[in-house]
């Protein structure tokens, strides 16, 4: 049986944690870091990079480097106009009007891109634990809607992980914070990450975690702060030079990275400089960017963003029927809460109380997810976790009005049944249009799905009884069914059906991901073989050079020809050919090795220490070649 991990699949970074002897622990990735950038890149040579290596090459390959994919999960194209403008990669209209990424002429759903990140997290965790990892608890912002949750679950499935549970990030954070708490406390989790904002109010106490209310904004995060700096600096540069850096993808990517760095610096210092030499050029020559930015100016630039978090904060308090003074602790989650302006705001909103500092804002969510995994797996004692549905769910009725069936902040899992009837005499079918959102009119809310219940026996309006059931599971995923009570005819949908990926597509993606994992390891093998060949070529050449005239002509010619052969093989992707060429050369260079030893012996016998230095060095190189060759 494989291990279960907790995964915080973040907009900017992702984190994996595991329960180790009952204690949660963050797992370092292959690069040795706790945070894996949620970045996937497709290089010009067809290689796929994930994490830090992908992030590192973003500047030179911006249109093929996908970051902030979480902002597009489960979204229709029309919902992401703003974020589409700020990413350098292409977002296009996919199936069912869903937003998809287009790279090098191929479309990838956000689920697939996220699955690539999850695959790396899984592989790194497996390498670290020395065990297979096949199950995960994955977190999402509490304010994620049904389509976004389902998309996240699908991403896990594509990556070969059984997603045991989708948990809300603030709820996970509260688990990490409050698992050992003996007394009841009311806590507020203020979570501002790279792309999303959540605020949740919970009651935590011994064994009980009850979410009282949740609110947020899935279009608000640290990226927006970066964007303000980008615009500020690009505007200043344009004023000075007439050049708009936002039109040059590469310059823009450099600027964006510099902006994020400046933002992070301004969390600890009051002044920073954004310096980008050779950012662009015109007829007069290269242009350099050098712009100072103070914390005060930065805070002024982003005041409206800070203010945007106030509304959800107050709404959550109101929904929980609490006043500021009723909150015992405010827990800060997400990298963006390191900004002093956010800490000040939270302090102000919390009635002057300092936020809790005992948890690491980057890791607390993954740790909570690992704890949840432990609870599900029976490793930890059962706690009662009462989470809520973040948005109101309803169906469209006569005149386009929404009948609200499940109000927001209702505890989940949850089930509601309601009876509806027909609107016209002799009506034999009804359309069930399922909606999510707080507005009164259907058209102002998000459509989750639509289906027809047919075969209702003709009757005067108002007579048929149609029972509609809303069922929300522990992951917050909704299933809606409609039944004509007279005939027992029934229709239902899991909301995933309309806006999300059909099962066949997921299956295909799972297979592709598996195939890619194989292809990936083949590519790695090819790259390794090529590297070893290159090393061998290099070492043999320097070996020949060092020995000079001491190598008999025929042997030298033979080696030179074999070197040429290996060089040619090394250019191909044919592993067998590379190996054979290496083998042949290896055999011949062995003779060279023998020669070296003979000469070394002769030289040592002559007592010439200076001359003896070279051949043994050559012999060492020979060993290196051999050792590496055997190691493969
Ligand atoms: P998360 O999604 O929780 O990993 O948060 C990532 C976001 O936090 C990114 O936008 C980062 O730029 C931002 N961030 C991380 N550290 C800091 C810091 N010290 N000051 C300001 N923002 C930060």
């Amino acid at each position: 049986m494989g291990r279960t991990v907790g995964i915080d699949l973040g907009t900017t970074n992702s984190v994996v944690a595991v329960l180790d002897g009952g204690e949660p622990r963050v797992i370092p990735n292959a690069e040795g870091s706790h945070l894996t950038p949620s970045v996937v890149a497709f290089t010009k040579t067809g290689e796929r990079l994930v994490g830090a290596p992908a992030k590192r090459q973003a500047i030179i390959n911006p249109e093929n480097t996908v970051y902030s994919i979480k902002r597009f999960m489960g979204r229709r194209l029309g919902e992401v106009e703003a974020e589409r403008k700020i990413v350098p990669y292409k977002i296009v209209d996919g199936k069912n009007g869903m937003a998809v990424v287009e790279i090098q002429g191929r479309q990838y759903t956000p689920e697939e891109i996220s699955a690539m990140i999850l695959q790396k997290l899984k592989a790194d965790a497996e390498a670290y634990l020395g065990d297979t990892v096949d199950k995960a608890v994955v977190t999402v912002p509490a304010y994620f809607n049904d389509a976004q949750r389902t998309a996240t679950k699908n991403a896990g499935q594509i990556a070969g992980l059984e997603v045991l549970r989708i948990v809300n990030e603030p709820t996970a954070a509260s688990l990490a914070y409050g698992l050992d708490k003996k007394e009841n406390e009311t806590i507020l989790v203020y979570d501002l990450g790279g792309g999303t904002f959540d605020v949740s109010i919970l009651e935590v106490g011994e064994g009980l975690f009850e979410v009282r209310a949740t609110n947020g904004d899935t279009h608000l995060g640290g990226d927006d702060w970066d964007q303000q700096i980008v615009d500020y600096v690009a505007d200043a540069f344009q004023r000075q030079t007439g050049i708009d850096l936002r039109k040059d993808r590469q310059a823009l990517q450099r600027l964006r990275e510099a902006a994020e760095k400046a933002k992070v610096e301004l969390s600890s210092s009051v002044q920073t400089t954004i310096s980008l030499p050779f950012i662009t050029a015109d007829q007069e020559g290269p242009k350099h960017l050098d712009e100072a930015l103070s914390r005060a100016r930065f805070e002024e630039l982003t005041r409206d963003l800070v203010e945007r978090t106030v509304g959800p904060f107050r709404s959550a308090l109101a929904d929980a029927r609490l006043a500021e003074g009723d909150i015992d602790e405010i827990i800060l989650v997400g990298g963006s809460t390191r900004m002093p302006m956010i800490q000040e705001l939270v302090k102000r909103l919390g009635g002057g109380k300092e936020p809790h500092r005992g948890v690491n804002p980057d890791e607390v969510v993954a740790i909570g997810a690992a704890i949840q995994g432990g609870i599900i797996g029976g490793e930890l004692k059962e706690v009662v976790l009462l989470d809520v549905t973040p948005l109101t769910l309803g169906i469209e009725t006569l005149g386009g009005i929404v009948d609200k069936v499940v109000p927001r902040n209702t505890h989940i899992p949850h089930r509601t049944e309601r009876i509806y009837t027909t609107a016209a005499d002799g009506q034999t079918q009804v359309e069930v249009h399922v909606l999510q959102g707080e507005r009164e009119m259907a058209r102002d809310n998000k459509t989750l799905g639509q289906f027809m219940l047919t075969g209702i026996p003709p009757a005067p309006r108002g007579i048929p009884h149609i029972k509609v059931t809303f069922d929300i599971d522990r992951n917050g995923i909704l299933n809606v069914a409609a039944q004509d009570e007279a005939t027992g005819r029934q229709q239902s949908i899991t909301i995933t059906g309309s806006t999300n990926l059909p099962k066949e597509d997921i299956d295909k993606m799972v297979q592709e991901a598996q195939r890619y994992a194989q292809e990936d390891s083949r590519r790695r093998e090819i790259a390794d073989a090529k590297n070893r060949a290159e090393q061998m070529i290099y070492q043999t050449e320097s070996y020949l050079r060092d020995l000079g005239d001491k190598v008999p002509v025929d042997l030298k010619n033979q080696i030179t020809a074999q070197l040429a052969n290996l060089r040619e093989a090394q250019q191909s992707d044919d592993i067998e050919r590379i190996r054979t060429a290496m083998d042949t050369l290896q055999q011949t260079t062995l003779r060279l090795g023998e020669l070296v030893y003979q000469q070394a012996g002769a030289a040592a016998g002559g007592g010439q220490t200076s001359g003896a230095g070279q051949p043994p060095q050559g012999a060492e190189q020979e060993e290196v070649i051999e050792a590496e060759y055997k190691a493969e």
Side-chain angles (χ1 to χ4, degrees), residues 458-500:
R461 57 181 288 211
I463 296 295
H465 269 197
I466 295 149
K467 186 170 77 187
V468 175
T469 312
F470 275 57
D471 228 322
I472 312 173
D473 72 9
R474 288 173 191 281
N475 300 311
I477 294 174
L478 172 69
N479 194 303
V480 180
Q483 187 178 36
D484 171 28
E485 291 202 323
T487 60
R489 273 184 91 97
Q490 179 160 340
Q491 269 296 328
S492 71
I493 47 167
T494 299
I495 287 309
T496 61
S498 64
T499 53
N500 281 86

Side-chain angles (χ1 to χ4, degrees), residues 17-321:
V18 70
L19 266 197
D20 204 8
E23 282 298 314
R25 196 148 56 95
V26 174
I27 300 179
N29 61 18
E31 291 78 32
S33 168
H34 281 188
L35 300 184
T36 300
S38 305
V39 184
V40 175
F42 301 83
T43 68
K44 305 250 149 61
T45 58
E47 219 184 324
R48 187 194 287 171
L49 303 172
V50 182
K55 189 174 177 187
R56 256 199 309 275
Q57 57 81 72
I59 289 174
I60 53 161
N61 188 25
E63 65 278 16
N64 300 316
T65 304
V66 184
Y67 61 86
S68 294
I69 192 64
K70 190 167 174 179
R71 286 187 171 229
F72 300 100
M73 288 289 270
R75 295 277 204 194
R76 287 174 183 280
L77 194 64
E79 294 175 292
V80 287
E81 283 307 330
E83 17 284 280
R84 196 181 168 198
K85 286 200 194 95
I86 61 173
V87 297
Y89 51 90
K90 240 191 191 166
I91 292 286
V92 299
D93 201 354
K95 258 191 203 164
N96 297 326
M98 301 302 285
V100 300
V101 180
E102 191 174 283
I103 300 269
Q104 295 163 349
R106 213 204 118 165
Q107 290 191 355
Y108 297 90
T109 60
E111 288 90 324
E112 279 177 287
I113 300 283
S114 298
M116 292 170 196
I117 299 166
L118 290 171
Q119 263 182 307
K120 173 181 165 61
L121 301 175
K122 174 177 184 304
D124 286 359
E126 286 177 337
Y128 181 81
L129 297 169
D131 205 346
T132 50
V133 169
D134 55 6
K135 292 183 280 309
V137 171
V138 184
T139 60
V140 295
Y143 222 54
F144 250 25
N145 66 32
D146 195 78
Q148 291 167 303
R149 280 166 200 272
T150 310
T152 305
K153 200 160 180 235
N154 291 344
Q157 201 183 337
I158 295 168
L161 287 166
E162 182 192 343
V163 179
L164 296 179
R165 188 76 52 87
I166 295 283
V167 183
N168 291 336
E169 284 156 14
T171 311
S174 76
L175 267 178
Y177 162 81
L179 197 65
D180 301 325
K181 290 275 173 296
K182 293 277 176 281
E183 285 171 16
N184 285 341
E185 276 184 16
T186 303
I187 65 168
L188 183 144
V189 179
Y190 181 103
D191 179 356
L192 187 62
T196 52
F197 171 61
D198 260 345
V199 43
S200 291
I201 296 171
L202 299 100
E203 296 286 341
V204 304
E206 206 183 0
L208 178 71
F209 289 76
E210 182 185 356
V211 182
R212 295 279 302 269
T214 186
N215 213 301
D217 184 340
T218 47
H219 293 271
L220 181 66
D223 294 357
D224 298 301
W225 270 259
D226 302 349
Q227 187 63 29
Q228 292 295 329
I229 300 184
V230 167
D231 283 333
Y232 172 73
V233 175
D235 285 345
F237 190 78
Q238 194 169 9
R239 274 197 303 277
Q240 290 154 19
T241 64
I243 303 171
D244 186 359
L245 293 174
R246 283 161 290 209
K247 298 219 165 85
D248 171 348
R249 278 174 187 254
Q250 231 173 44
L252 181 60
Q253 185 57 29
R254 278 181 71 190
L255 181 53
R256 199 174 276 130
E257 288 187 12
E260 193 200 352
K261 210 163 134 248
K263 172 189 76 174
V264 170
E265 269 171 30
L266 287 175
S267 288
S268 50
S269 55
V270 291
Q271 178 83 25
T272 186
T273 310
I274 296 152
S275 260
L276 292 166
F278 300 98
I279 186 79
T280 186
D282 62 8
Q283 301 90 323
E284 291 160 20
K287 294 259 175 280
H288 314 295
L289 185 155
D290 213 7
E291 193 67 42
L293 182 63
S294 67
R295 185 190 286 172
R297 185 88 189 88
F298 175 47
E299 291 185 350
E300 202 181 298
L301 287 174
T302 53
R303 181 162 303 149
D304 57 327
L305 294 175
V306 177
E307 285 306 313
R308 272 173 63 189
T309 73
V310 176
F313 189 105
R314 298 237 158 93
S315 300
L317 273 179
D319 282 348
R321 294 192 189 83

Side-chain angles (χ1 to χ4, degrees), residues 544 548-562 588 591-592 595:
L544 281 181
D549 299 344
K550 292 174 197 139
V551 187
V553 177
D554 63 328
L555 187 58
K556 188 170 185 168
N557 288 344
Q558 202 182 352
I559 292 178
T560 311
Q562 288 173 357
T588 318
R591 279 172 56 203
L592 204 56
L595 196 78

Side-chain angles (χ1 to χ4, degrees), residues 613-628:
Q614 220 174 35
Q617 186 197 345
E620 267 170 33
Q621 286 182 355
E622 174 67 34
E623 277 170 19
V624 171
I625 292 172
E626 196 175 22
E628 290 204 345

Side-chain angles (χ1 to χ4, degrees), residues 11-13 193-194 222-223 226 260 263-264 267 334-336 338-339 362:
T11 309
T12 319
N13 293 301
D223 294 357
D226 302 349
E260 193 200 352
K263 172 189 76 174
V264 170
S267 288
S336 302
R338 291 211 165 93
M339 290 189 284
D362 299 316

